[in-house]
């Protein structure tokens, strides 16, 4: 009993010491983590996504702390499913998450390896396992992002996609804590895929849903993209942009590409502004940074997310 009390006191003393140390100057890793957090915060909308990322971060951080102090800790299994329509920020958030986990010391490197079916599945027997293992090897210490993961089950039981899934599952067992797998995809096919692969699903304790952006969020995303590129919009251009976003979404809500479509609009607008200024002998700085109403041209058909 006395021994236990001494032990507990010693642990508490160590805990206090630990907290003392943390009150000093932030370490470079902490500063980088803060910068990544700010980058995440700067993404428009995504309230629940940001909250879940914070949860993951807090969980991993505290479990590591507990284990360092020899307290019982949960295994840090962070394999996650990302569900969301095109252009909702899945890839962007995965890249940030991987870097954050590295800064926290949960992952060794923090890079992201993005793959899809064609990168994992080969045409001949035996090649798929090899190809998948190669991708996993590249992702060690970081995050393996499997985009449109359901495509792995496309051909059914006899397809080599199954070999890729089996190889992935085995690696997740063999290299626990050494890398994180994110399976990403659009909502409907992803849910169907997980229902038909319960063994795989059970290995992913976390799921993050990326909702479609509202028209206002899309407008803000466009604004931030223009600002990043050092362009400003006139009042008329802003009105035209808001109108274009609304029209495009209502014309084709299913294949509307969220922020990806917005990026296409921004890039097209920049080209249109360039064409307008092209013939001029002299162009002022003001003109170079200003986007006019006429630069925002609405041809919704050519802005879909699939090109
Ligand atoms: N919330 C946001 N704020 C600002 N920019 C964003 C936001 N979400 C996405 N973007 C930008 O939109 C583009 C598309 O995002 P991203 O590639 O992450 O989407 P995705 O969900 O992976 O799409 P897909 O399923 O088509 O691969 C990127 O240029 C990204 O920087
Ligand atoms: Mg993506």
């Amino acid at each position: 009993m006395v021994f236990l009390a001494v032990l507990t006191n010693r642990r508490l003393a160590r805990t206090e010491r630990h907290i003392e140390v943390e009150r000093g100057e932030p370490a470079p890793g902490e500063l980088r983590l803060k910068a990544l957090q700010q980058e995440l915060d700067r993404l428009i909308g995504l309230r629940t996504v940001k909250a879940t990322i914070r949860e993951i971060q807090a969980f991993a951080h505290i479990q590591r702390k507990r284990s360092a102090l020899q307290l019982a800790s949960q295994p840090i299994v962070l394999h996650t499913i990302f569900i969301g329509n095109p252009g909702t920020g899945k890839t962007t958030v995965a890249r940030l998450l991987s870097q954050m986990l590295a800064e926290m010391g949960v992952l060794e490197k923090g890079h992201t390896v993005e793959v899809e079916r064609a990168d994992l599945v080969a045409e001949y027997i035996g090649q798929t396992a090899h190809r998948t293992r190669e991708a996993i090897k590249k992702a060690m210490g970081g995050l393996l992002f499997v985009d449109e993961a359901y495509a792995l089950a496309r051909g059914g039981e006899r397809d080599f996609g199954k070999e890729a899934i089996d190889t992935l599952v085995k690696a997740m067992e063999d290299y626990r804590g050494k890398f994180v797998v994110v399976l990403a995809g659009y909502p409907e096919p992803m849910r169907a895929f997980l229902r038909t692969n319960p063994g795989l699903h059970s290995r992913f304790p976390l799921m993050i849903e990326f909702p479609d952006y509202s028209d206002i969020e899309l407008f803000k995303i466009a604004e931030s993209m223009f600002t990043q590129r050092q362009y400003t919009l006139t009042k008329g251009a802003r009105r035209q942009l808001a109108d274009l976003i609304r029209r495009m979404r209502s014309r084709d809500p299913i294949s509307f590409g969220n922020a990806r479509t917005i990026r296409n609009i921004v890039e097209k607008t920049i080209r249109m502004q360039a064409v307008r200024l092209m013939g001029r002998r002299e162009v002022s700085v003001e003109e170079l940074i200003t986007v006019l109403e006429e630069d925002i041209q609405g041809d919704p058909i050519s802005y879909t997310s699939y090109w």
Side-chain angles (χ1 to χ4, degrees), residues 87 89-92 114 145 147 260:
K90 300 182 294 296
T91 306
T92 308
E114 293 167 39
F145 183 88
D147 217 355
R260 183 179 299 286

Side-chain angles (χ1 to χ4, degrees), residues 113-124 127-135 138 144-155 159-162 164-165:
V113 174
E114 293 167 39
V115 294
E116 52 183 33
R117 183 186 158 98
D119 301 301
L120 305 178
V121 179
E123 282 164 38
Y124 305 102
Q127 283 185 344
T128 297
H130 174 71
R131 211 179 260 195
T132 305
R133 276 199 297 267
E134 283 298 308
K138 274 194 219 149
L144 182 69
F145 183 88
V146 186
D147 217 355
E148 298 195 45
Y150 33 77
L152 293 175
R154 203 166 50 198
D159 179 74
F160 294 140
K162 191 172 176 306
I165 295 176

Side-chain angles (χ1 to χ4, degrees), residues 125-275:
I125 287 187
Q127 283 185 344
T128 297
H130 174 71
R131 211 179 260 195
T132 305
R133 276 199 297 267
E134 283 298 308
I136 293 165
K137 207 158 95 188
K138 274 194 219 149
M140 274 302 141
L143 187 148
L144 182 69
F145 183 88
V146 186
D147 217 355
E148 298 195 45
Y150 33 77
L152 293 175
R154 203 166 50 198
E157 270 297 300
R158 300 188 54 194
D159 179 74
F160 294 140
K162 191 172 176 306
E163 195 178 329
I165 295 176
D166 294 344
T167 308
L168 189 60
V169 167
K170 183 166 184 318
M172 286 162 69
E173 294 291 331
D174 293 349
Y175 304 102
R176 260 165 198 275
K178 301 279 184 222
F179 74 126
V180 166
V181 181
V182 170
L183 299 184
Y186 308 144
E188 283 324 307
M190 197 64 170
R191 290 209 170 87
F193 170 63
L194 295 171
R195 267 197 306 275
T196 49
N197 289 273
L200 183 68
H201 193 180
S202 66
R203 288 177 163 81
F204 288 79
L206 301 158
M207 182 184 285
I208 304 185
E209 296 199 36
F210 290 69
D212 286 338
Y213 292 113
S214 69
D215 286 359
I216 292 172
E217 285 169 340
L218 290 171
F219 184 83
K220 285 186 183 159
I221 290 172
E223 258 187 331
S224 79
M225 286 178 178
F226 278 119
T227 306
Q228 261 171 29
R229 292 162 173 79
Q230 284 196 317
Y231 286 89
T232 58
L233 277 69
T234 60
K235 235 183 185 167
R238 290 166 64 84
R239 214 180 315 110
Q240 177 78 351
L241 176 64
D243 190 51
L244 177 63
I245 291 171
R246 195 178 41 72
R247 268 187 296 133
M248 284 180 64
R249 193 208 287 276
S250 59
R251 191 185 283 208
D252 191 358
I254 304 295
S255 63
F256 183 70
N258 283 285
R260 183 179 299 286
T261 301
I262 296 300
R263 198 175 67 193
N264 292 338
I265 294 177
V266 168
E267 283 164 6
K268 169 102 177 183
T269 301
I270 287 172
R271 291 198 299 274
M272 296 314 288
Q273 188 245 30
V275 169

